[in-house]
Amino acid sequence: EAGVCYLYAPGEERELQLVAQLGFAAPLTAESELVSSLTSLSGYVARHGQSFVIPELESDARGTIVANSEGLHSAVLVPVAT
């Protein structure tokens, strides 16, 4: 089990900033502090406000290297807005 929380500022940033995580290895967390909001699935979710469920990351091209290297099998991405 693992989770991350990124902040996204529409119109101001082209990257998502990692603000909290649980369950990921420390070196991996350092590599993931800034994620492109233009090319990543997390960025797509943030920009469009749409949730994504990926039941099997191994068979989905959208699965990230981060998810595969950490042994994650599925993913749920949910935008949270204020």
Side-chain angles (χ1 to χ4, degrees), residues 47-70:
R47 287 190 327 275
H48 296 281
Q50 296 178 340
S51 299
F52 259 88
V53 175
I54 305 172
E56 295 182 24
L57 284 170
E58 290 180 4
S59 61
D60 195 305
R62 298 171 294 188
T64 65
I65 294 171
V66 171
N68 294 333
S69 68
E70 288 290 308

Side-chain angles (χ1 to χ4, degrees), residues 16-82:
L16 304 176
Q17 181 180 7
L18 180 68
V19 294
Q21 70 87 20
L22 178 67
F24 287 104
L28 187 59
T29 301
E31 293 174 16
S32 302
E33 285 185 10
L34 293 176
V35 173
S36 170
S37 68
L38 300 177
T39 60
S40 69
L41 186 55
S42 296
Y44 179 88
V45 169
R47 287 190 327 275
H48 296 281
Q50 296 178 340
S51 299
F52 259 88
V53 175
I54 305 172
E56 295 182 24
L57 284 170
E58 290 180 4
S59 61
D60 195 305
R62 298 171 294 188
T64 65
I65 294 171
V66 171
N68 294 333
S69 68
E70 288 290 308
L72 300 179
H73 301 286
S74 59
V76 177
L77 295 91
V78 180
V80 178
T82 59

